[in-house]
Amino acid sequence: MDSQKKKIIIIGPAYPYRGGNSLYISFVFETLSKEFEVKIFNYKLLYPSFLFPGKTQFDISGEVKKIPSERIVNSLHPFNWIRVASRINYEKPDLIIFDWWHPYFALCHFFISLFINKKLKKRSLFITENYISHEGHFIDRWLTRIGLHHANYFIALSKKVEDELKQNFKHKKIYRSELPIYEHLTGNAEDITSLKQKFSIAPNEKVLLFFGYIRKYKGLDILLEALNLLSSESDKIKLIIAGEFYDDKDFYIELIHKYELQNIVIMQNEYIPNEQVKDYFIVSDVVVLPYRSATQSGILNLAYGFRKPVIVTKVGGLSEFVNNESTGLIVEQPKAELIADAIKKFFEIENKIDFRKNIAEFVKSNRFNNLNEIINKVLEDSNAS
């Protein structure tokens, strides 16, 4: 180990946990490890089972991005928070990074950051994926302020979050970054013709993809209503819904029957293992994110990893990452008629615009590539304070 390397401790989820937050921390670890000594303090309890809406919190994929971590943080146990803070004090890191995305972790993060020593408090950085959670309740704003109370520096992953932090933490230094472009799952895949046969899709049919956990804020019901409005074109379109329901599944099934979309919708109601993800993206013409709210989206960056165009709603920070009619289409509001118009327009212009080339060019400016530069600046600022 290079003794000159600065030591960084990250408190965040990693393998064996699944999902976007765990994947993001894996990329952060790999990037920072090129220049720093990095330790991940992972959760031994992330969410208690009664609060977790899915089947399992753990990644059951055959192909998994594994990084070394110590599972020592219990999100619910106050005595554990004291022990974790003591361990951080013992390690004497140059920087402590908390990964913040949900107010559930407010007390855990508050007390760990409270119990670290005074010198380390000046070196605490919160990577803020969301400020308020997507389906935030009235208490979430209060919990968020508690959870972020001891933050000395922030990294915001979208302009929306940056603005919210500026409003609420006027005297704190805020840096900007982004989620990485997720290109690690592209691998070798069957050709589109074979994949269409696999999904029982005719060669001449166009394919929309709705991917990821299904929750109210993601607007799948709006997309189904939009498909209903496209009834004259619907015999040429298939919609693949791939992801586990974190919402009432029956509500969406009833909509599919109400709009008579049974022959159009292909549903895979489960967590999609990493090794199967490429099939869904490669077979699709466009990925649709009809969200009611958003900050940024790992699904969008996954689509860009496959060089697939997107249709997104102009909510939160989502449209910050799309060049309209270049890397995808931006819909002004999460309304069915507007999304239907965007889908229709996409298929009218898809052969006139080189979306793939435009996305390849667009992702070159992804701010995640500058993460080490940002961390060096934080270290410089913390030493000067």
Side-chain angles (χ1 to χ4, degrees):
M1 185 71 67
D2 185 346
S3 60
Q4 299 303 309
K5 283 187 173 181
K6 300 288 188 184
K7 181 190 283 188
I8 295 173
I9 290 177
I10 301 174
I11 296 180
Y15 179 81
Y17 293 106
R18 71 181 193 184
N21 306 103
S22 176
L23 179 62
Y24 172 67
I25 291 299
S26 301
F27 274 75
V28 170
F29 173 84
E30 289 182 345
T31 300
L32 295 185
S33 295
K34 296 173 184 173
E35 191 171 341
F36 305 101
E37 178 189 349
V38 183
K39 290 188 176 183
I40 306 288
F41 284 1
N42 195 357
Y43 290 90
K44 60 181 179 182
L45 174 68
L46 187 62
Y47 295 107
S49 56
F50 70 90
L51 286 180
F52 185 73
K55 293 176 182 173
T56 176
Q57 300 179 51
F58 301 107
D59 200 332
I60 56 172
S61 301
E63 299 174 7
V64 179
K65 190 179 256 309
K66 295 180 181 178
I67 59 170
S69 71
E70 297 181 59
R71 293 186 61 194
I72 63 173
V73 183
N74 184 320
S75 64
L76 270 182
H77 202 304
F79 291 120
N80 170 268
W81 304 337
I82 297 173
R83 287 195 291 272
V84 171
S86 298
R87 174 68 187 282
I88 294 171
N89 290 334
Y90 173 79
E91 293 278 351
K92 298 178 180 171
D94 295 283
L95 186 67
I96 307 161
I97 298 177
F98 292 82
D99 182 41
W100 174 269
W101 74 95
H102 197 283
Y104 164 74
F105 297 93
L107 296 180
C108 174
H109 286 192
F110 174 84
F111 282 106
I112 291 175
S113 53
L114 173 67
F115 293 132
I116 58 177
N117 65 43
K118 187 176 178 180
K119 184 177 179 182
L120 292 177
K121 277 188 173 65
K122 295 180 180 178
R123 298 174 179 175
S124 61
L125 166 70
F126 279 63
I127 296 179
T128 317
E129 298 188 38
N130 305 313
Y131 180 68
I132 299 294
S133 62
H134 300 298
E135 294 168 330
H137 302 290
F138 71 94
I139 199 172
D140 287 356
R141 189 167 293 277
W142 177 72
L143 285 171
T144 296
R145 289 195 64 83
I146 289 177
L148 301 178
H149 181 74
H150 295 114
N152 222 33
Y153 304 95
F154 291 104
I155 289 180
L157 300 188
S158 67
K159 179 70 165 55
K160 179 180 188 301
V161 172
E162 181 183 13
D163 290 344
E164 289 173 328
L165 289 170
K166 283 179 177 175
Q167 289 174 12
N168 291 281
F169 298 91
K170 291 184 171 58
H171 304 296
K172 303 290 185 180
K173 192 76 176 280
I174 301 164
Y175 305 84
R176 268 298 307 277
S177 182
E178 294 175 8
L179 292 175
I181 302 300
Y182 296 125
E183 298 175 300
H184 62 297
L185 298 176
T186 50
N188 295 321
E190 300 173 58
D191 60 57
I192 290 181
T193 303
S194 300
L195 285 172
K196 282 193 169 182
Q197 289 176 349
K198 182 176 177 179
F199 284 101
S200 299
I201 297 171
N204 65 334
E205 287 180 320
K206 300 295 185 181
V207 183
L208 311 173
L209 176 62
F210 181 97
F211 192 87
Y213 307 135
I214 296 159
R215 303 177 68 167
K216 184 69 175 177
Y217 81 87
K218 291 193 172 184
L220 176 58
D221 54 324
I222 303 173
L223 177 55
L224 292 173
E225 186 181 351
L227 275 187
N228 180 49
L229 297 174
L230 288 169
S231 56
S232 59
E233 290 88 1
S234 60
D235 60 335
K236 305 170 191 169
I237 294 175
K238 283 284 192 293
L239 167 65
I240 298 178
I241 301 171
E244 189 176 349
F245 280 89
Y246 281 16
D247 201 4
D248 181 9
K249 183 179 74 173
D250 291 341
F251 168 71
Y252 299 95
I253 299 295
E254 287 173 10
L255 283 182
I256 290 169
H257 284 273
K258 174 184 174 183
Y259 299 139
E260 299 181 347
L261 301 174
Q262 298 95 317
N263 295 325
I264 295 171
V265 173
I266 299 168
M267 185 177 290
Q268 194 67 28
N269 172 25
E270 62 181 8
Y271 178 78
I272 307 300
N274 292 334
E275 58 273 19
Q276 295 179 19
V277 168
K278 58 181 177 295
D279 292 350
Y280 291 88
F281 281 86
I282 289 172
V283 79
S284 300
D285 294 282
V286 61
V287 182
V288 187
L289 296 87
Y291 294 1
R292 290 182 167 90
S293 68
T295 45
Q296 70 286 319
S297 169
I299 303 303
L300 188 151
N301 285 30
L302 193 55
Y304 279 174
F306 286 92
R307 304 296 185 258
K308 291 293 178 179
V310 294
I311 296 175
V312 304
T313 45
K314 193 174 184 179
V315 295
L318 196 57
S319 60
E320 294 175 30
F321 307 99
V322 179
N323 280 344
N324 195 35
E325 298 191 27
S326 174
T327 65
L329 295 181
I330 298 173
V331 179
E332 286 296 321
Q333 297 178 54
K335 292 185 175 180
E337 57 270 27
L338 298 181
I339 291 171
D341 288 344
I343 293 170
K344 191 173 180 180
K345 183 173 184 179
F346 174 80
F347 289 122
E348 289 171 353
I349 65 174
E350 65 170 332
N351 293 323
K352 300 175 184 175
I353 296 174
D354 193 340
F355 285 103
R356 186 177 183 85
K357 179 184 175 184
N358 294 341
I359 292 168
E361 191 62 33
F362 182 79
V363 301
K364 289 179 182 175
S365 61
N366 180 269
R367 295 189 187 199
F368 184 81
N369 299 331
N370 300 328
L371 183 62
N372 282 2
E373 189 178 314
I374 293 171
I375 295 300
N376 273 313
K377 187 70 174 68
V378 174
L379 288 165
E380 184 181 321
D381 289 347
S382 65
N383 287 330
S385 63

